[in-house]
Amino acid sequence: MQGCAEPVLRPEIRAATVRLLERCGYQVSFAPGEACCGALTHHMGREAEALAAARRNVEAWSREIEAGLEAIVITASGCGTTIKDYGYMLRDDPLYAEKAARVSALAKDVSEVIEAAGLPARVEIPARIVAYHPPCSIQHGQKLTTGPQNLLRAAGFTVKLPADSHLCCGSAGTYNIFQPEIAGQLGARKAQTLEALWPDVVATGNIGCAVQIGQHSGLPVAHIVELLDWATGGPAPAGL
């Protein structure tokens, strides 16, 4: 998935993802016609807009599925949670229910795809301590609680979790826009518990979390794929 916020804010995440997937033996393509996943309008209760976005993407990805697509790889877990729900969101649409269910079944967080494929051969990089922030959309929405951490450890990093790893960083889709004061408090607390681990870098799997934590901490923040890419032959993420 190309996404809409991530390529503007952190285009290096997509570049790292493509390199990593290609090292795993995959051919990477981008679906013409794909656009915003609809998560943010869905959060706001603007159902008609959210369903229109879902239908547009279902159409785009269905064309790719017919051509042999094996997985829809998503690097922003906030988007992934919604796309995995397309089948439910469009369950009563006679024209889209079946296609949406097929799309949801193929939707995968990038960590799931790398874990299934197996991490490519490692290269020699400096030892680094990683503070891993599991996004709410990963651990609570998609129930992916161990895969990202295991991949980072397999890549040679020392991984630590903050004491409040089960709690939100305050980004939460549109929450940081509509409730900036509380979101700011959550972000400051999350930054404090991450910094208490004395890491070299914070890793996460969602662009919203990365931006939110970066606003409250002086630590470098990277997507897990940037670190996995670095450990298997790619460039070091910014700040490292």
Side-chain angles (χ1 to χ4, degrees):
M1 181 186 179
Q2 300 172 73
C4 45
E6 184 185 273
V8 174
L9 296 167
R10 294 284 295 274
E12 55 268 37
I13 294 174
R14 181 195 298 176
T17 301
V18 171
R19 288 192 298 265
L20 187 58
L21 288 172
E22 288 180 343
R23 280 190 214 110
C24 288
Y26 289 107
Q27 178 184 344
V28 180
S29 65
F30 299 100
E34 177 229 291
C36 176
C37 69
L40 298 184
T41 50
H42 193 49
H43 294 173
M44 290 186 282
R46 288 155 58 173
E47 186 178 17
E49 290 179 57
L51 294 181
R55 291 185 184 99
R56 180 175 57 243
N57 285 335
V58 166
E59 286 287 0
W61 288 323
S62 291
R63 290 190 291 269
E64 298 295 312
I65 290 170
E66 295 301 325
L69 192 71
E70 293 181 53
I72 299 164
V73 181
I74 304 153
T75 51
S77 61
C79 300
T81 304
T82 295
I83 295 163
K84 288 184 175 184
D85 210 31
Y86 276 1
Y88 180 79
M89 291 167 62
L90 293 169
R91 67 195 182 281
D92 295 325
D93 188 323
L95 295 178
Y96 283 90
E98 185 177 342
K99 289 191 290 187
R102 187 167 53 168
V103 163
S104 287
L106 288 177
K108 304 290 181 185
D109 184 76
V110 64
S111 64
E112 294 180 276
V113 177
I114 303 302
E115 191 173 30
L119 196 66
R122 288 167 47 192
V123 300
E124 200 65 40
I125 60 170
R128 289 289 184 266
I129 297 173
V130 175
Y132 174 60
H133 165 69
C136 296
S137 44
I138 278 276
Q139 61 176 331
H140 303 312
Q142 299 184 47
K143 308 299 183 186
L144 302 176
T145 56
T146 60
Q149 300 172 54
N150 290 342
L151 284 170
L152 289 168
R153 291 190 180 98
F157 297 103
T158 299
V159 180
K160 298 182 178 181
L161 268 71
D164 61 349
S165 63
H166 61 296
L167 295 180
C168 181
C169 69
S171 176
T174 57
Y175 188 81
N176 60 343
I177 298 171
F178 291 113
Q179 298 289 343
E181 184 177 350
I182 302 175
Q185 292 171 5
L186 290 168
R189 181 175 67 184
K190 182 64 68 174
Q192 185 177 33
T193 58
L194 288 164
E195 289 170 354
L197 301 173
W198 291 96
D200 298 298
V201 60
V202 175
T204 189
N206 187 51
I207 184 63
C209 300
V211 171
Q212 174 78 345
I213 293 167
Q215 289 175 335
H216 293 276
S217 174
L219 291 168
V221 183
H223 194 289
I224 67 162
V225 294
E226 294 180 274
L227 292 169
L228 298 177
D229 175 49
W230 181 35
T232 58
L240 288 175

